[in-house]
């Protein structure tokens, strides 16, 4: 089959790889209908050291079950399923606590001999605990929105949930990428009425307004902090959803959060030291967030997607075939595309 591999910074190729097969009785093989490029895929795309052997890449996909292991129940060939961006057994103590990203028997796509999502098919370990059946046809117009349950919409939801967003809280979202826009949508879904989106790309912030943002602040740094403070009577907002992962984004988040407020960071951090000093201590600022346990949220979010109450799939603004995935990476890296959908 064909699949995407990364060889180094800026070097993504689509090549022939072995077809996936059942290796363990808990496995399934899924034929991929839709996959996508994640903003976090751009970090290795920008910085991965060059190697002679490429590595599989991609962690968001949905597709059709083609084969199942002898220990898998509740699934059959022909089922349409979505896979969270971390596979898990859904039964260990961490999973039952809603922390599937720490599953004792789980792991990551495109690692340790497991297929990546940007290919024609994927061997799914712990298939019974990982895969979620979707009650739609293969040609459903809902597939892009359903694909966001694999990662991006669940990640935006995670930022809002961990920050404690509800109808009584004001919200600032830092970042107008796909995760930031998903966070706006999630915050609005949870009842927030005042949502300030910090972003400077008009096509993206326009979508953010459609998703529920009440204000847009294009300024960055101290200027951006001052603007948010002006909009909130000098106080800042109760919650801040940091959806970028850079130190300047975190510094802005800490600058706009209200005393007693919460900053939730879900952008994969590209820094080691967190600037929580005496002032944040005196203001009783809480820092939370982390990697989103998408499997814990899919059952809750799925009905709203199926009913059309939310349309998170609108974050996809370009679609490519598998052979054009390298061009899709370039488009996202050059900010010519927000999020690229892949149709193998």
């Amino acid at each position: 089959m064909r699949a995407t591999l990364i060889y180094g910074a800026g070097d993504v190729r689509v090549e022939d790889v072995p077809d996936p097969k059942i290796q363990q009785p808990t496995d399934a093989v899924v034929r991929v209908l839709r996959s996508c490029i994640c903003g976090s895929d751009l970090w290795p795309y920008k910085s991965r050291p060059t190697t002679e052997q490429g590595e599989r890449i991609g962690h968001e996909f949905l597709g059709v079950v083609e084969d199942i292991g002898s220990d898998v129940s509740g699934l059959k060939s022909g089922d349409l399923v979505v896979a969270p961006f971390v596979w898990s057994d859904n039964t260990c103590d961490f999973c039952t606590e809603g922390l599937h990203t720490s599953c004792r028997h789980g792991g990551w796509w495109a690692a340790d001999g497991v297929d990546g999502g940007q290919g024609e098919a994927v061997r799914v370990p712990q298939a019974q605990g990982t895969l979620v059946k979707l009650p739609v046809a293969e040609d459903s117009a809902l597939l892009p929105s359903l694909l966001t349950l694999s990662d991006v919409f669940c990640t935006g939801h995670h930022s809002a949930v961990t920050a404690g967003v509800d109808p009584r809280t004001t919200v600032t979202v830092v970042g107008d990428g796909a995760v930031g826009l998903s966070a706006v949508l999630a915050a609005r879904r949870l009842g927030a009425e005042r949502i300030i989106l910090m972003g400077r790309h008009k096509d993206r912030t326009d979508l953010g307004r459609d998703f529920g943002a009440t204000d847009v602040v294009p300024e960055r740094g101290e200027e951006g902090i001052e603007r948010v403070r002006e909009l909130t009577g000098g106080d800042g907002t109760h919650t801040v959803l940091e959806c970028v992962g850079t130190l300047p984004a975190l510094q802005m988040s800490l600058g706009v959060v209200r005393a007693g407020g919460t900053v939730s960071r879900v952008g994969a951090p590209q820094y080691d030291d967190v600037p929580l000093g005496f002032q944040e201590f005196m203001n009783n600022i809480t820092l939370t967030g982390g990697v989103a346990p998408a499997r814990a949220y899919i059952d809750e979010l799925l009905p709203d997607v199926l009913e059309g109450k939310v349309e998170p799939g609108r974050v996809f603004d370009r679609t490519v075939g598998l052979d054009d995935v390298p061009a899709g990476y370039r488009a996202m890296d050059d900010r010519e595309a927000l999020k690229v959908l892949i149709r193998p």
Side-chain angles (χ1 to χ4, degrees):
M1 71 168 189
R2 304 280 285 169
T4 306
L5 295 92
I6 183 168
Y7 282 80
D11 188 2
V12 169
R13 312 176 197 177
V14 178
E15 299 180 342
D16 291 324
V17 299
D19 292 340
K21 297 179 180 179
I22 300 295
Q23 298 181 16
Q24 300 292 332
T26 52
D27 289 349
V29 173
V30 173
R31 172 172 54 88
V32 176
L33 290 178
R34 298 289 188 276
S35 182
C36 58
I37 301 171
C38 181
S40 64
D41 292 329
L42 296 183
W43 295 118
Y45 185 74
K46 293 174 183 290
S47 61
R48 184 186 184 278
T50 299
T51 57
E52 292 186 7
Q53 298 296 321
E55 294 181 348
R56 299 287 294 278
I57 193 168
H59 53 262
E60 302 160 275
F61 66 94
L62 60 75
V64 177
V65 175
E66 293 208 321
D67 196 8
I68 57 173
S70 58
D71 287 353
V72 178
S73 62
L75 293 170
K76 65 181 185 304
S77 295
D79 283 343
L80 184 65
V81 293
V82 63
F85 68 91
V86 173
W87 50 271
S88 60
D89 62 17
N90 202 29
T91 59
C92 80
D93 54 338
F94 283 118
C95 287
T96 57
E97 294 169 10
L99 200 62
H100 296 71
T101 44
S102 296
C103 177
R104 295 186 185 278
H105 309 109
W108 301 85
W109 306 110
D112 300 322
V114 177
D115 298 307
Q118 295 168 13
E120 292 180 320
V122 175
R123 178 180 69 87
V124 178
Q126 299 293 343
Q128 185 174 324
T130 299
L131 299 174
V132 179
K133 289 196 291 186
L134 302 173
V136 299
E138 292 186 27
D139 60 352
S140 172
L142 291 174
L143 291 190
S145 286
L146 292 168
L147 177 60
T148 68
L149 297 176
S150 181
D151 183 349
V152 66
F153 186 34
C154 290
T155 296
H157 180 69
H158 184 60
S159 68
V161 169
T162 54
V165 172
D166 62 30
R168 296 167 295 180
T169 57
T170 52
V171 182
T172 297
V173 175
V174 178
D176 59 7
V179 173
L181 297 178
S182 296
V184 171
L185 187 62
R188 187 68 187 91
R189 179 182 172 276
L190 291 174
E193 295 184 357
R194 184 77 185 274
I195 303 172
I196 300 170
L197 174 59
M198 300 190 77
R200 61 179 184 174
H201 302 89
K202 188 176 184 304
D203 55 340
R204 301 182 181 192
T205 57
D206 284 349
L207 179 56
R209 288 188 182 275
D210 285 350
F211 278 178
T214 54
D215 304 271
V216 170
V217 172
E219 296 88 354
R220 291 185 173 182
E222 291 300 323
E223 189 178 0
I225 293 171
E226 181 179 353
R227 180 61 181 143
V228 173
R229 292 281 177 178
E230 289 176 356
L231 289 171
T232 56
D235 288 342
T237 55
H238 299 94
T239 61
V240 182
L241 314 183
E242 193 280 285
C243 302
V244 180
T246 63
L247 186 57
L250 179 60
Q251 290 168 331
M252 280 202 308
S253 299
L254 294 170
V256 302
V257 68
R258 188 178 186 272
T262 300
V263 174
S264 176
R265 57 174 188 163
V266 294
Q270 304 303 302
Y271 52 87
D272 294 320
D273 296 325
V274 175
L276 287 178
F278 187 75
Q279 189 61 55
E280 288 74 26
F281 172 80
M282 291 301 295
N283 285 340
N284 282 286
I285 303 304
T286 297
L287 180 64
T288 184
V291 62
R295 182 64 185 86
Y297 298 131
I298 292 177
D299 292 337
E300 174 188 349
L301 299 176
L302 178 59
D304 281 3
V305 174
L306 292 173
E307 294 169 19
K309 293 181 178 179
V310 292
E311 297 181 82
R314 293 179 64 190
V315 298
F316 296 110
D317 60 348
R318 183 171 300 195
T319 300
V320 299
L322 192 57
D323 288 340
D324 290 326
V325 167
Y329 272 86
R330 289 193 296 272
M332 284 184 61
D333 189 45
D334 293 339
R335 297 293 184 108
E336 295 174 358
L338 169 60
K339 190 169 178 66
V340 173
L341 183 72
I342 302 169
R343 299 183 63 168

